[in-house]
Amino acid sequence: MLSVSKLSAGYGKKAVLTDIDILAMQPGTITAFLGQNGAGKSTLLRSLAGLHRASGTLSFSGEDISHHSPAQRARAITYMPQSLPQRVALTVLEATIGALRASSRDPDAVKRSLAVLERLGIEKLAMAQLDSLSGGQRQLASLAQALVRKPRVLLLDEPTSALDVAHQIRVMRTIREITEEQQIIAIAVLHDLGLACRWCDRLVMLAGGRVVSDGEPQVALTPSVLNQVYGVTGRIERCSRGRIQVLIDEVA
Ligand SMILES: Nc1ncnc2c1ncn2[C@@H]1O[C@H](COP(=O)(O)OP(=O)(O)O)[C@@H](O)[C@H]1O
Ligand SMILES: [Mg+2]
C-alpha cells in the first residue's frame, strides 16, 4: 500500500501543492492523477519519486519512506518522466537492457528486455536508435525501460500523450495487465478522461494545489468536479456498452 499524507511542495516561495492526502493506493490497481495544465501533477509524481523536495509523509508497505533518497526509493519506485531525454546514442534494446541492469544483475537481461518490447508491440524497433524514433515510439521505448525493472510502484507522467488511438488502448491495456499480474501500485498522470475512466480504478482530481475529488471514476467525476477542475460545463454519461463517457459542452 502507498499513502501520501499532508504533502506540500512548491518552487521557491510559490506553493504548488498543499496538504495533499491520497491514502491507501493498492497493489494491482491504477490511480490516475488528473487536473489542468500547471495543476502540479508532475510535481506530485516527482515528489513521490524523491526528485522534488516536499514536506509531509510518504508511506510504502507500512514504512515511512519520506526521508529515503531518490536512489533508495528507486529500488521500489520507477518514474517515467513527461519529457523524455533527447540525443541518446542507444538503440531501444540497449536502453531497455541498461534500465534493467541499473536495478538488477539479471543474467537473462537481453531475453527479458526483448519480451517487454514484444509485449508493447515494439520488438521491430529493438535495433533502432532512440534518436530516430517518433514521439510516440519514444514514449513506448521509455515505457519499456520502466516496465522491465519490474517496479513495485510505477509512476507514469502522461504515458499516452503522444500515442495514436490504437496505441493508447494497447498501452493502457498492457499497463493494466502488468499491474494486475505483478501487483504493482501504478499511478498515471492522464489528460484523457475517457482513458482514465476506462482503465483506472481510482481518479484523484487536483485543482488549486489540492485534491478536489478522489474515488472510483463514477464517484470522483461529476459535472461539478469537471467545473471545479477544468472550468468546463460537461456531462458524464454511459455509452451503449456501459462505459463512462465524458462530454464537454462549454468552456467558461
Ligand atoms: N522547475 C520549476 N521552477 C519553477 N516553477 C515550476 C517548475 N516546474 C513547474 N513549475 C510550476 O509549478 C506548477 C505546476 O507544474 P507541474 O507540476 O509541471 O504541473 P502539471 O504537470 O500539472 O502540468 C506550474 O505553475 C509550473 O509553472
Ligand atoms: Mg506535467
Side-chain angles (χ1 to χ4, degrees):
M1 231 165 64
L2 184 75
S3 289
V4 177
S5 50
K6 297 262 168 294
L7 184 145
S8 297
Y11 298 88
K13 285 196 179 131
K14 178 178 162 175
V16 172
L17 299 167
T18 312
D19 281 344
I20 300 288
D21 284 330
I22 307 166
L23 302 180
M25 287 175 274
Q26 304 286 345
T29 67
I30 310 177
T31 300
F33 288 173
L34 300 157
Q36 269 193 333
N37 295 328
K41 305 176 298 294
S42 296
T43 304
L44 181 52
L45 280 200
R46 284 201 302 272
S47 300
L48 301 187
L51 303 171
H52 186 81
R53 202 148 56 88
S55 62
T57 309
L58 178 65
S59 77
F60 175 54
S61 289
E63 187 188 359
D64 182 354
I65 61 163
S66 316
H67 300 291
H68 286 193
S69 66
Q72 281 174 306
R73 292 189 201 197
R75 285 187 211 132
I77 302 177
T78 290
Y79 161 68
M80 177 182 141
Q82 181 173 358
S83 47
L84 309 174
Q86 299 293 320
R87 287 195 291 279
V88 185
L90 291 173
T91 66
V92 172
L93 181 59
E94 284 166 349
T96 313
I97 294 169
L100 176 55
R101 292 223 167 110
S103 63
S104 87
R105 291 179 187 279
D106 191 332
D108 286 331
V110 177
K111 216 165 115 192
R112 203 163 122 191
S113 298
L114 278 170
V116 171
L117 298 185
E118 216 162 283
R119 188 128 196 209
L120 290 171
I122 52 168
E123 69 278 11
K124 289 203 179 76
L125 298 177
M127 298 306 164
Q129 290 289 323
L130 279 178
D131 285 347
S132 72
L133 302 180
S134 74
Q137 291 170 330
R138 284 173 67 92
Q139 211 162 28
L140 289 164
S142 175
L143 186 60
Q145 291 167 55
L147 290 175
V148 79
R149 302 177 65 155
K150 293 211 170 163
R152 294 170 68 198
V153 177
L154 179 61
L155 308 176
L156 302 167
D157 203 345
E158 301 197 22
T160 56
S161 59
L163 302 179
D164 63 64
V165 283
H167 278 96
Q168 286 177 12
I169 301 284
R170 185 169 197 158
V171 161
M172 289 310 296
R173 190 177 60 205
T174 308
I175 294 170
R176 175 94 237 162
E177 287 167 2
I178 294 177
T179 296
E180 287 177 11
E181 271 166 36
Q182 299 175 15
Q183 288 295 294
I184 294 170
I185 299 168
I187 300 173
V189 169
L190 295 171
H191 276 305
D192 188 315
L193 295 168
L195 283 183
C197 290
R198 179 163 171 193
W199 299 102
C200 299
D201 302 277
R202 176 172 174 183
L203 311 185
V204 174
M205 314 292 298
L206 298 163
R210 295 180 184 269
V211 175
V212 166
S213 173
D214 174 2
E216 291 173 17
Q218 62 271 29
V219 177
L221 211 53
T222 62
S224 144
V225 168
L226 281 177
N227 191 275
Q228 241 180 306
V229 173
Y230 298 106
V232 299
T233 311
R235 285 167 287 153
I236 290 103
E237 298 190 346
R238 297 257 174 195
C239 76
S240 54
R241 294 194 170 177
R243 285 195 200 116
I244 297 174
Q245 301 277 294
V246 182
L247 304 160
I248 306 300
D249 294 315
E250 293 293 343
V251 181

